[in-house]
Amino acid sequence: MRKVTQHIPNVITSLNLLCGALGIVFVGRGSIQTAFWLMAAASVFDFLDGFAARLLNAYSPIGKELDSLSDTVSFGLLPSFMLYYTYRNAAPLEWMEFLPFVLVVFSAFRLAKFNVDTRQTQGFLGLPTPASALLVAGTVLYGQYSPGWHALLSTTWFIPGLSVLLSLLLVSNIPMFSLKLKGFGFKNNKVPYIFTGLCLVVIIALAAAGQHPSLMLLCCCCLYIIMSGILWISGHYKTAS
């Protein structure tokens, strides 16, 4: 039984990779919405593989490497393809349409850095790749529902600028909080609980206004970055234990 259970996290991680690969296929077919939901599924599997590894105490060096490889595809290559597909007709020069692929390079570097950085046990240094990818997915998909947002995505500067900004955040040393809970008490989990509560407020408000889920995801990802920045600037990470 032990030999079976120790492979469960790797199976879940492989589903993450499969969703990322299929997402790339659907981007090529012009179905951004399907790619969006496949990325959302990949992020769920990315959470569940770690949860399963902790629950079953089924850690392995292979699992760690497989997780990074899967994340590079699902949260690095897939969002790069989304940006490329959206930007290719707006690029003023042919070579510029490939600028969004800088994101997969920095995503891979960020994942490699995370694997060897012992400082990132309780939180993150730099933007986590799933957050970067989901922000891209929300940005691209919402452009199909909002004419104003679509016009912004069609400019010559927005997508290259977003690609560079996210790339820099991925490899930065800006502290970003983790959503992993330390028990269930509020005292040790103030930041995750407050963030979750604010996200619920945003989601309810946008749902009441009839907005698409992609905008909800986009706003929650931006809230995560802004809240992490506020905590960093306010000195929270200097005083937190």
Side-chain angles (χ1 to χ4, degrees):
M1 180 62 71
R2 172 64 181 170
K3 290 184 178 180
V4 174
T5 58
Q6 70 180 359
H7 293 297
I8 291 177
N10 291 345
V11 171
I12 298 174
T13 303
S14 299
L15 293 174
N16 168 7
L17 175 59
L18 179 62
C19 286
L22 291 174
I24 293 170
V25 171
F26 279 98
V27 170
R29 292 181 176 181
S31 182
I32 295 295
Q33 181 162 318
T34 302
F36 172 90
W37 290 114
L38 283 166
M39 183 187 290
S43 66
V44 172
F45 289 129
D46 184 53
F47 169 80
L48 290 177
D49 65 1
F51 179 80
R54 291 189 295 272
L55 181 66
L56 301 172
N57 193 26
Y59 297 98
S60 70
I62 291 178
K64 182 178 181 180
E65 300 304 323
L66 180 61
D67 184 69
S68 294
L69 291 170
S70 299
D71 286 357
T72 300
V73 173
S74 297
F75 308 128
L77 192 57
L78 175 54
S80 295
F81 264 100
M82 286 181 166
L83 291 174
Y84 162 75
Y85 183 85
T86 305
Y87 182 62
R88 59 181 180 169
N89 293 326
L93 299 172
E94 186 175 356
W95 65 268
M96 289 185 67
E97 67 185 80
F98 301 107
L99 282 175
F101 286 102
V102 70
L103 189 62
V104 66
V105 176
F106 280 82
S107 295
F109 187 84
R110 190 271 181 285
L111 289 163
K113 177 184 174 184
F114 178 78
N115 281 348
V116 300
D117 193 341
T118 57
R119 298 172 297 170
Q120 301 189 57
T121 55
Q122 301 299 322
F124 304 105
L125 290 177
L127 183 65
T129 50
S132 168
L134 291 171
L135 189 152
V136 167
T139 297
V140 171
L141 183 57
Y142 186 59
Q144 298 191 349
Y145 294 90
S146 168
W149 197 250
H150 177 75
L152 181 63
L153 293 178
S154 299
T155 60
T156 59
W157 58 270
F158 183 80
I159 287 182
L162 179 64
S163 302
V164 172
L165 176 61
L166 290 177
S167 296
L168 293 176
L169 286 175
L170 284 166
V171 298
S172 72
N173 285 319
I174 298 175
M176 301 274 180
F177 62 87
S178 172
L179 295 177
K180 293 180 181 178
L181 299 179
K182 303 173 184 177
F184 294 99
F186 180 78
K187 182 178 180 181
N188 294 325
N189 301 292
K190 287 186 290 185
V191 172
Y193 281 158
I194 291 173
F195 172 73
T196 302
L198 290 174
C199 284
L200 288 175
V201 171
V202 169
I203 291 171
I204 292 171
L206 292 176
Q211 296 293 339
H212 192 267
S214 58
L215 180 59
M216 303 174 195
L217 179 62
L218 173 59
C219 290
C220 289
C221 290
C222 290
L223 177 62
Y224 175 78
I225 296 173
I226 293 170
M227 189 170 169
S228 293
I230 291 174
L231 291 172
W232 175 48
I233 294 171
S234 66
H236 171 83
Y237 294 104
K238 295 179 181 179
T239 58
S241 56

